[in-house]
Amino acid sequence: MTGSDPSAAEQADEGQVPQSVRWIGGESGHLEILDQTLLPGRREHVVCRDVATVIEAIRMLRVRGAPAIGIAGAYGLVVAAGEAMRSGLSPEAARSHVLAQAEEIATARPTAVNLRWAVERSLAVLATLPVESLPPLIAGVLLAEARGIHEEDRRLCAAIGRHGAAVLPDGGVLTHCNTGALATGGDGTALAVITTAWEQGRRFEIFADETRPLLQGARLTAWELCERGIPVTVLVDSAAAHMMKSGRVSSVIVGADRITAAGDVANKIGTYGLAVLADAHRIPFLVAAPSSTFDLSISSGDDIPIEERAADEVKRPLGVQAAPEAAAAANPAFDVTPARLVRGIVTEHGVIAPVTQETIAEMLSRQP
Ligand code: MRU
């Protein structure tokens, strides 16, 4: 069931960046997703009482950003258990239902590894329950785990912000896509680095790429910064080279959807181009991501699945016909930046620099 419920949640969020996902009630409650496709114009929430609505929200980018879709996925399993409760399924049938829905949720978007990571983390907890566990117990355990993942991400964001602010160079900073509160369970990853440095009293120009085709930078990053009272300048994506050459951009910091064991970074389409430009202008290119974004099962970025989205997003941005209907459009949602172009990766454990298989393995083995 899809619906919007702007009332109570909207009032509670007034004047601050709202949470992108939240669970309302106990184990028979529901998931509420802030519909990011409507921002910055409207604040409406999608009420998810069935898994189909959760999956639709993830696919349509109503909830988006690697950590946030992981959190939504974990709550999605609780929604699946709720479906089993309402249908009066036996313990065995309820468990099968949750497992089947888990696979649907985990594959709703292919590139961000956080989604499968969060689903598998919840399923591992489910596996510890006796097979005769009734659906309310299954839902309760999955809810506790989803809340744990959510709360943990909030803390990781704060740590990433602190570690990153300590190494963020002085001068203008350029970011791409949206990596703030809307994309995570806390204040963000790359954007938290920027806002933490700002809150520490440092002053610099902040440039947000508009991030075609869905404008996460213009619609969401700029909105978050404005809501926080932090000045931001929106750039068309193609302005980056000029801004670097003219000396107004001293560093680039972005988030990530998947980072391989060797440090290749998948992130929003356009990121690789920024890394090449930063290299050409001898500007540090930084990545900020929690450990849940690392996929140590693969080494090469060539093995990261890249989501291809509908041509309409390119040809009809915001519903405006911007290209002839007869034209084809390619719409890869992500690209891969090779590790050699990444100056450092900010994690909750600290900053990985230089970026190598060894330094990544060493940092990720540390306790937060
Ligand atoms: O397609 P999106 O909007 O989900 O893409 C998001 C990004 O590329 C972000 O940079 C990434 O997920 C990191 S969010 C902290």
Side-chain angles (χ1 to χ4, degrees):
M1 183 196 77
T2 309
S4 65
D5 174 17
S7 52
E10 191 172 345
Q11 282 160 19
D13 287 330
E14 214 56 64
Q16 50 179 302
V17 180
Q19 283 188 286
S20 56
V21 290
R22 58 183 168 193
W23 186 262
I24 308 293
E27 66 262 16
S28 55
H30 65 271
L31 176 62
E32 198 172 75
I33 288 175
L34 175 67
D35 188 347
Q36 297 187 34
T37 64
L38 303 177
L39 290 171
R42 287 180 7 236
R43 275 196 211 187
E44 290 185 14
H45 294 80
V46 180
V47 174
C48 306
R49 296 185 200 277
D50 56 52
V51 175
T53 306
V54 178
I55 290 176
E56 193 271 352
I58 293 173
R59 288 208 177 115
M60 298 307 293
L61 275 57
R62 302 188 198 288
V63 58
R64 44 139 305 279
I69 61 174
I71 295 163
Y75 284 124
L77 297 194
V78 192
V79 173
E83 288 177 337
M85 268 196 276
R86 289 196 300 280
S87 310
L89 297 184
S90 67
E92 203 174 292
R95 187 177 291 250
S96 304
H97 177 72
V98 170
L99 290 175
Q101 295 300 297
E103 195 48 34
E104 296 293 316
I105 293 169
T107 52
R109 291 190 77 190
T111 304
V113 74
N114 306 61
L115 181 54
R116 182 166 286 283
W117 169 86
V119 167
E120 281 181 359
R121 183 168 145 173
S122 287
L123 289 183
V125 175
L126 176 61
T128 64
L129 282 185
V131 281
E132 62 276 13
S133 302
L134 294 169
L137 178 62
I138 291 176
V141 163
L142 291 172
L143 178 58
E145 191 61 18
R147 285 196 165 126
I149 289 170
H150 197 168
E151 172 57 23
E152 186 179 297
D153 193 62
R154 193 188 63 72
R155 289 197 307 272
L156 301 189
C157 286
I160 288 170
R162 280 195 308 276
H163 290 305
V167 297
L168 187 70
D170 287 331
V173 58
L174 171 64
T175 190
H176 193 66
C177 197
N178 171 264
T179 61
L182 293 169
T184 64
D187 278 345
T189 57
L191 199 60
V193 171
I194 293 171
T195 56
T196 302
W198 187 271
E199 276 152 18
Q200 288 171 349
R202 291 175 57 192
R203 291 296 174 261
F204 42 83
E205 274 193 289
I206 302 168
F207 297 102
D209 267 351
E210 62 176 357
T211 315
R212 282 274 284 141
L214 297 179
L215 303 175
Q216 289 94 327
R219 293 189 303 105
L220 307 176
T221 299
W223 180 72
E224 282 198 34
L225 290 169
C226 290
E227 287 290 298
R228 299 177 73 131
I230 300 176
V232 56
T233 302
V234 176
L235 298 178
V236 295
D237 297 340
S238 44
H242 171 75
M243 299 305 277
M244 289 184 198
K245 186 159 174 262
S246 64
R248 284 179 73 186
V249 170
S250 301
S251 66
V252 179
I253 185 160
V254 298
D257 287 80
R258 194 185 294 230
I259 303 173
T260 69
D264 294 345
V265 175
N267 190 50
K268 180 52 56 193
I269 190 75
T271 301
Y272 173 40
L274 286 178
V276 171
L277 286 175
D279 185 54
H281 292 89
R282 310 225 184 294
I283 288 171
F285 178 87
L286 301 168
V287 174
S291 49
S292 53
T293 301
F294 286 78
D295 180 355
L296 301 183
S297 73
I298 53 175
S299 178
S300 167
D302 294 344
D303 295 330
I304 299 176
I306 299 296
E307 178 181 7
E308 183 75 30
R309 295 188 60 83
D312 253 19
E313 291 180 351
V314 175
K315 288 164 61 176
R316 262 189 296 279
L318 304 176
V320 174
Q321 189 79 39
E325 204 37 55
N331 190 10
F334 301 95
D335 57 28
V336 177
T337 300
R340 69 184 158 75
L341 295 177
V342 181
R343 182 74 60 89
I345 304 177
V346 184
T347 72
E348 73 270 24
H349 304 283
V351 181
I352 302 170
V355 177
T356 67
Q357 186 124 9
E358 293 68 36
T359 55
I360 290 172
E362 192 279 318
M363 185 65 81
L364 295 187
S365 67
R366 286 191 200 171
Q367 293 302 310

